[in-house]
Amino acid sequence: AQSVAQPEDQVNVAEGNPLTVKCTYSVSGNPYLFWYVQYPNRGLQFLLKYITGDNLVKGSYGFEAEFNKSQTSFHLKKPSALVSDSALYFCAVRGLNNNNDMRFGAGTRLTVKP
Amino acid sequence: DAGVTQSPTHLIKTRGQHVTLRCSPISGHKSVSWYQQVLGQGPQFIFQYYEKEERGRGNFPDRFSARQFPNYSSELNVNALLLGDSALYLCASSLASGQGGQPQHFGDGTRLSIL
């Protein structure tokens, strides 16, 4: 069965500094990996995905993520954080053989301080 | 274009009652999935429907059921409500089923509170 782990409940960074939100996954075969962001009282917004190809994936709002197969990780990154990036971030995985069940991590709360 | 719309936005019920939540997908999207998000946790997969057929089911009791209509909108029904059913219920749509690399697009959810 596929699963994801987000080892940090909370990440705090200063505005303008780089940010990293960590995610590791477990899946049989090649994974489909996703990052979503959730603002208060809202649904999840899609940021980016990895299916195949380049290990560095670029997404919305300046975010990018690096797929590392040997470490089974898919960390979310941004070179320069904004206060408006403060939100809840979720990593999700779909296994190649189970297209209908997307598994989400528990989420990481990112706080960017001015 | 409108995104995924869910109704109602908030709902308060008491234990033992039943509830129906509604979802309209993005125009052109034929697949609808339902998720339960308990406070402080990530969304948990409940159902996926495509072309009015159930294509996936998560680990939820039979009190939970859903259906999809010819216009691709969907309803989630929960019977015999328990306190533990209090959560944000999210609907997500995508173009098709069986294409795991497609992202899902989420509505803002229905906040269900059980008293």
Side-chain angles (χ1 to χ4, degrees):
Chain A
Q2 65 254 26
S3 64
V4 293
Q6 294 180 243
E8 301 159 316
D9 292 336
Q10 184 148 349
V11 170
N12 297 315
V13 299
E15 187 175 29
N17 283 0
L19 69 87
T20 299
V21 183
K22 295 179 180 178
C23 171
T24 59
Y25 67 90
S26 174
V27 67
S28 299
N30 295 322
Y32 298 121
L33 293 160
F34 304 83
W35 275 101
Y36 287 84
V37 60
Q38 186 176 32
Y39 295 97
N41 300 314
R42 301 298 301 276
L44 279 67
Q45 293 180 31
F46 169 72
L47 284 178
L48 52 80
K49 66 179 180 181
Y50 173 82
I51 301 175
T52 187
D54 289 341
N55 289 340
L56 186 63
V57 178
K58 294 189 181 296
S60 306
Y61 313 119
F63 284 94
E64 57 190 27
E66 186 170 8
F67 172 69
N68 188 317
K69 188 172 184 178
S70 63
Q71 297 185 3
T72 62
S73 67
F74 189 55
H75 300 331
L76 181 70
K77 300 181 180 183
K78 188 173 183 180
S80 179
L82 300 173
V83 173
S84 58
D85 292 330
S86 299
L88 196 53
Y89 289 81
F90 291 98
C91 181
V93 67
R94 261 205 194 114
L96 192 63
N97 297 320
N98 191 344
N99 291 326
N100 302 324
D101 185 355
M102 182 177 280
R103 298 292 178 95
F104 285 84
T108 298
R109 183 163 300 282
L110 173 67
T111 301
V112 182
K113 298 183 178 179
Chain B
D1 285 344
V4 177
T5 57
Q6 292 186 243
S7 63
T9 55
H10 295 84
L11 203 51
I12 299 175
K13 292 285 188 178
T14 57
R15 284 178 294 175
Q17 287 187 312
H18 69 272
V19 68
T20 298
L21 310 181
R22 295 178 175 82
C23 171
S24 293
I26 291 173
S27 178
H29 285 193
K30 298 181 178 181
S31 175
V32 169
S33 296
W34 287 95
Y35 292 83
Q36 181 195 64
Q37 186 179 16
V38 174
L39 195 63
Q41 298 181 18
Q44 300 290 315
F45 174 72
I46 309 176
F47 287 112
Q48 194 225 2
Y49 275 77
Y50 176 71
E51 292 285 9
K52 297 177 289 181
E53 292 187 1
E54 182 184 301
R55 295 299 182 96
R57 172 185 283 256
N59 189 23
F60 279 80
D62 292 343
R63 299 184 297 108
F64 289 77
S65 64
R67 56 180 175 168
Q68 188 176 32
F69 299 99
N71 66 354
Y72 304 112
S73 68
S74 178
E75 287 182 351
L76 176 69
N77 295 284
V78 187
N79 293 325
L81 288 166
L82 303 174
L83 292 177
D85 295 332
S86 295
L88 180 68
Y89 288 84
L90 295 166
C91 174
S93 74
S94 58
L95 279 169
S97 177
Q99 296 181 26
Q102 286 190 5
Q104 293 185 324
H105 300 270
F106 285 80
D108 287 339
T110 294
R111 173 77 59 190
L112 176 63
S113 299
I114 311 301
L115 303 179

